[in-house]
Amino acid sequence: MKKVLAIILALILCFSLAACSSGDSGDTDTPDNTGDNTPDSTNEPSDEGGDSDDTVVCYSFGPMTGGAAWGQFERGFMTACEELGWEGHYLAPTADNNMSQLFNLHETAITNGADVMIPLVTDTDAMSDILDTAVEKGITMVGCCMGDPHFPGYIGTDPTNLGYTVAEALVQCMGDQEIHVVTMQTLLSTQSQVDQVDAFEEKLMELRPDATIVRREECNSSAQTAQDKLSAVCIANPETNALVSFDSYAGLGAATYVEAEGRQDDFCVIGIDDAAEILLAIKAGNMDATVAQMWYKMGYESVYLANDVREGKEIPEYTDSGTSIIMPEDVDAWAEEMGTDLSA
Amino acid sequence: MNKENSKGKAVFKALLSKNELGAVLPLALLLIVVAFVNPNFFSTGNIFDILRTASFTFIVAIPLTFLLSSQGMDLSVGAATSLGGVICGMTLKAGVPLPLAIVLALIAGAAVGTLNGILIIKSNLPAFIATLGTQYLVNGIIAIITNNLAISNFEGNFKQLSQYKLFDQIPMPIIYAIVLGIIGQFLLTKTRFGREVLAIGGNKETAYLAGIKVNSRRMVTFIGTSVFASLAGVLIASRFASAQPAAGTGTELSIMAGVIIGGTSMFGGQGTVIGSALGAILLATITNALILMNVSTLWQNAIYGLILIVALYVDKYRRKALSGE
């Protein structure tokens, strides 16, 4: 048995060595679109940022590899890098949403000679030192999702605009009915989502002063938790007749609740993003609408904004990648435009 | 007076002898409090909601009871849960009939368990790190094969597997959990296999000298744990008609906490499937009850943690009192 294990381990080692050696070619014309989780070890660290050759090395970051939202961001980012002839790397933590790992990846990118970075700033204080280092090394930066004084501008879904759009979608779907709504986000501690929910509440009160916010909840990106919590909230507060989600799994859990309880006619769910299962929930009548963020556009345009900065052009402090409300009648056209497969 | 005292002591001792006390006491206290604050807690719909939530946890907790009883541990159950759902979803989308898709998902789970068994039993690697490695490996494989995208829009009756309600009231996962729980409790307490597992947990060397096939029994517990975790993954995918790559992420520690609170010893030698069921119900009840009592979500994690610590203290006190220390 030990011999068999030894042979297996030896084979794994051989494969690893083979894989490492094939990466030496430095194929910058065909960036890997599959989600490069580890920086390319062949990039020589540089004190001033950048490789010894002329290829621009650009890093972007996300809280996860793939997925409906960040997968699109990565595709947009890689496409733009390819168009500009840059070497693109998309880095994400091995454990989804692990923020400390995400911070470390920014440091890794700096150490590995990034020329350009699209930092994902989730906490400006926590990342301050890292961004200081990037500035010292002369790395060009354009932010993603949140602004920071370390870079001239950022692109993302403006939390306020998103919150407003969600409120408008809810009011549109509810018509003249009373509104008693639960908000559900990934974690109550996620600052960008807190801003979105604040903006949502502000706009809702402006549009429908009679509306009530029943509860703010979190689901930690678990549809199970979302459904269970919504069930309990509805028992504790029977007047609850709507849920708006700021986490796509919250929407999915709420849609399952609506289907299980047969509440399609008296409960409104507003989802977020445009994953296939969200669009299918709308088609099935278990969700009323979703607010899609333009993740591909965000990834794509972030690279061109960084290019403008490198060329000495001024960029706006904030570029809104936009949002779009998808109603049931829009689902098929949207899916076709985004290349989302809704077939069984 | 003396007679009454001794009778009271006897009742107290009988209570202490119950492994499940660690889960029962906090659960009873929680039920009393929530009953005062919000009587709606006891509505049929809410009770079935709690039991449905607990049933997914319990299905994984059954084999985990065996595993922990034999001094094992497995941090890859969450990953195996995700894998089960994803494999079932992918094979269904490929046109494989539902029963075969479920079998394939269970085989994938068995492969994870076998890997754990080889690493821990044959190669003597520490279970904590080895199963953590398996967790990362399996999650990585899932990310690669799905690109972290959920699989949805299934044809046929896949949804009915979890969403069907018996007598229009009882969600099917509760039925599965009860059936599997009865089998599990029978296996643990009434069969040679169960006694051998407990003996291995008590002392491996003694068990070996007594002629018990220690390695093969331990291997079965590892494989069983991953297979049941995969089954839970299939049921979760059916519940949401969507196989999510991260469906089981982060569940491993809470499931283990449920098993331990239920009276199964982390150090092996003692286990109770009924206790694990109560532990799973306690975990599901805490979140539900806190919402029904309108406790702010900001407080929920802290209270959740406190209740778990109280449950562990009760269990510790019980063991200490029984051993006469």
Side-chain angles (χ1 to χ4, degrees):
Chain A
M1 190 63 202
K2 279 180 184 170
K3 281 181 184 171
V4 175
L5 275 173
I7 291 167
I8 292 170
L9 287 172
L11 283 172
I12 291 171
L13 190 63
C14 289
F15 276 121
S16 309
L17 287 172
C20 288
S21 60
S22 67
D24 285 342
S25 58
D27 188 6
T28 55
D29 291 328
T30 53
D32 181 5
N33 281 351
T34 56
D36 192 354
N37 254 5
T38 49
D40 189 345
S41 58
T42 58
N43 291 337
E44 287 298 321
S46 155
D47 285 342
E48 298 303 322
D51 270 346
S52 52
D53 61 24
D54 290 338
T55 308
V56 176
V57 180
C58 181
Y59 285 85
S60 70
F61 308 85
M64 63 175 66
T65 307
W70 288 97
Q72 284 183 35
F73 176 91
E74 183 188 349
R75 273 197 304 122
F77 167 78
M78 287 299 188
T79 305
C81 283
E82 201 174 340
E83 285 174 7
L84 292 172
W86 291 5
E87 186 182 319
H89 296 275
Y90 172 82
L91 307 185
T94 46
D96 293 354
N97 298 314
N98 184 323
M99 290 305 140
S100 56
Q101 246 189 64
L102 185 63
F103 299 159
N104 291 341
L105 288 172
H106 285 78
E107 282 181 324
T108 310
I110 294 168
T111 315
N112 277 272
D115 297 297
V116 178
M117 272 174 43
I118 316 292
L120 176 60
V121 180
T122 52
D123 184 327
T124 45
D125 291 337
M127 289 187 71
S128 183
D129 286 350
I130 299 169
L131 297 176
D132 281 345
T133 312
V135 171
E136 280 167 21
K137 299 230 174 198
I139 296 171
T140 305
M141 288 191 287
V142 167
C144 171
C145 292
M146 250 175 106
D148 187 275
H150 289 89
F151 35 80
Y154 76 102
I155 184 166
T157 311
D158 178 55
T160 308
N161 282 350
L162 178 70
Y164 284 5
T165 311
V166 173
E168 284 159 6
L170 177 67
V171 170
Q172 195 178 332
C173 290
M174 294 297 282
D176 296 333
Q177 292 177 67
E178 285 183 5
I179 298 177
H180 304 286
V181 62
V182 182
T183 64
M184 201 172 279
Q185 59 199 75
T186 311
L187 295 171
L188 291 175
S189 55
T190 307
Q191 189 54 46
S192 55
Q193 288 188 346
V194 171
D195 294 343
Q196 291 165 8
V197 178
D198 285 345
F200 162 78
E201 290 186 6
E202 182 192 320
K203 189 69 176 176
L204 183 63
M205 289 305 129
E206 182 192 320
L207 297 172
R208 286 288 300 270
D210 61 320
T212 58
I213 309 291
V214 177
R215 263 180 98 87
R216 274 191 188 200
E217 270 299 342
E218 63 180 13
C219 71
N220 202 12
S221 292
S222 160
Q224 268 202 87
T225 306
Q227 185 188 357
D228 294 340
K229 284 194 166 182
L230 179 59
S231 250
V233 168
C234 288
I235 290 169
N237 311 88
E239 74 281 10
T240 309
N241 61 357
L243 176 137
V244 293
S245 54
F246 293 87
D247 173 291
S248 61
Y249 293 101
L252 186 62
T256 309
Y257 165 81
V258 166
E259 186 180 11
E261 301 297 320
R263 295 193 63 181
Q264 286 88 349
D265 295 330
D266 70 339
F267 198 96
C268 174
V269 178
I270 306 294
I272 190 122
D273 292 335
D274 55 354
E277 64 268 27
I278 298 287
L279 298 178
L280 287 165
I282 297 175
K283 280 190 88 164
N286 300 320
M287 188 182 283
D288 295 77
T290 188
V291 176
Q293 302 176 72
M294 309 301 192
W295 291 97
Y296 182 91
K297 188 180 171 191
M298 209 188 293
Y300 184 86
E301 290 193 359
S302 64
V303 177
Y304 276 94
L305 284 169
N307 192 42
D308 285 348
V309 175
R310 276 178 69 84
E311 289 174 354
K313 294 178 190 164
E314 274 201 11
I315 63 165
E317 197 177 320
Y318 165 60
T319 305
D320 188 2
S321 47
T323 50
S324 185
I325 301 174
I326 305 169
M327 303 299 275
E329 59 273 20
D330 310 322
V331 168
D332 286 328
W334 184 271
E336 200 181 329
E337 192 185 330
M338 293 291 149
T340 310
D341 182 15
L342 297 184
S343 61
Chain B
M1 190 70 178
N2 272 347
K3 202 176 174 184
E4 269 178 22
N5 260 351
S6 61
K7 199 178 172 186
K9 272 183 186 171
V11 172
F12 187 60
K13 202 163 183 186
L15 265 178
L16 287 179
S17 70
K18 298 289 175 198
N19 283 346
E20 296 84 4
L21 193 70
V24 170
L25 211 58
L27 185 60
L29 286 174
L30 193 61
L31 294 183
I32 291 167
V33 174
V34 73
F36 276 109
V37 178
N38 192 338
N40 283 336
F41 175 84
F42 292 102
S43 66
T44 318
N46 193 47
I47 296 297
F48 282 133
D49 275 351
I50 292 172
L51 291 178
R52 182 187 53 199
T53 305
S55 62
F56 292 107
T57 309
F58 179 51
I59 287 171
V60 187
I62 297 167
L64 210 52
T65 307
F66 286 76
L67 186 69
L68 290 179
S69 300
S70 66
Q71 272 190 37
M73 99 116 66
D74 188 350
L75 291 179
S76 67
V77 287
T81 301
S82 306
L83 184 70
V86 162
I87 295 292
C88 184
M90 290 181 94
T91 48
L92 277 175
K93 292 290 274 186
V96 173
L98 179 58
L100 185 55
I102 295 173
V103 170
L104 289 172
L106 300 187
I107 289 172
V112 175
T114 308
L115 177 64
N116 281 334
I118 290 172
L119 293 174
I120 295 155
I121 301 163
K122 303 287 180 193
S123 307
N124 268 326
L125 297 179
F128 186 90
I129 297 298
T131 55
L132 187 65
T134 315
Q135 181 199 104
Y136 277 105
L137 177 68
V138 174
N139 279 333
I141 290 170
I142 293 168
I144 292 165
I145 61 177
T146 63
N147 197 25
N148 260 349
L149 290 169
I151 303 153
S152 52
N153 208 13
F154 302 109
E155 275 180 343
N157 294 327
F158 181 51
K159 271 164 61 169
Q160 296 302 316
L161 201 63
S162 281
Q163 292 189 9
Y164 180 76
K165 289 183 176 176
L166 199 64
F167 311 120
D168 268 345
Q169 280 281 354
I170 312 169
M172 284 310 286
I174 298 176
I175 307 292
Y176 305 140
I178 290 172
V179 171
L180 293 171
I182 290 169
I183 296 170
Q185 179 69 6
F186 179 79
L187 267 179
L188 189 64
T189 56
K190 305 286 181 196
T191 66
R192 186 173 164 174
F193 173 76
R195 285 191 294 272
E196 287 180 351
V197 165
L198 293 173
I200 292 166
N203 190 316
K204 269 189 217 113
E205 284 72 27
T206 314
Y208 177 75
L209 291 173
I212 294 171
K213 291 173 182 168
V214 173
N215 286 354
S216 82
R217 295 292 176 265
R218 290 181 70 206
M219 183 64 105
V220 170
T221 59
F222 276 108
I223 295 173
T225 302
S226 299
V227 168
F228 274 55
S230 290
L231 175 65
V234 171
L235 296 175
I236 291 169
S238 161
R239 178 180 171 187
F240 296 102
S242 165
Q244 296 149 25
T249 304
T251 56
E252 45 284 288
L253 291 179
S254 62
I255 297 173
M256 245 188 279
V259 173
I260 293 162
I261 286 165
T264 296
S265 170
M266 258 193 100
F267 308 105
Q270 272 188 18
T272 152
V273 174
I274 294 171
S276 298
L278 290 167
I281 292 170
L282 174 66
L283 296 179
T285 305
I286 294 172
T287 311
N288 181 280
L290 292 177
I291 292 176
L292 261 73
M293 290 191 285
N294 267 324
V295 175
S296 159
T297 304
L298 295 171
W299 280 87
Q300 280 180 18
N301 275 343
I303 295 173
Y304 191 93
L306 270 177
I307 294 174
L308 291 187
I309 291 168
V310 168
L312 284 172
Y313 248 99
V314 170
D315 193 50
K316 190 187 170 193
Y317 172 77
R318 183 188 69 79
R319 287 172 200 276
K320 208 172 162 186
L322 272 182
S323 65
E325 279 176 36

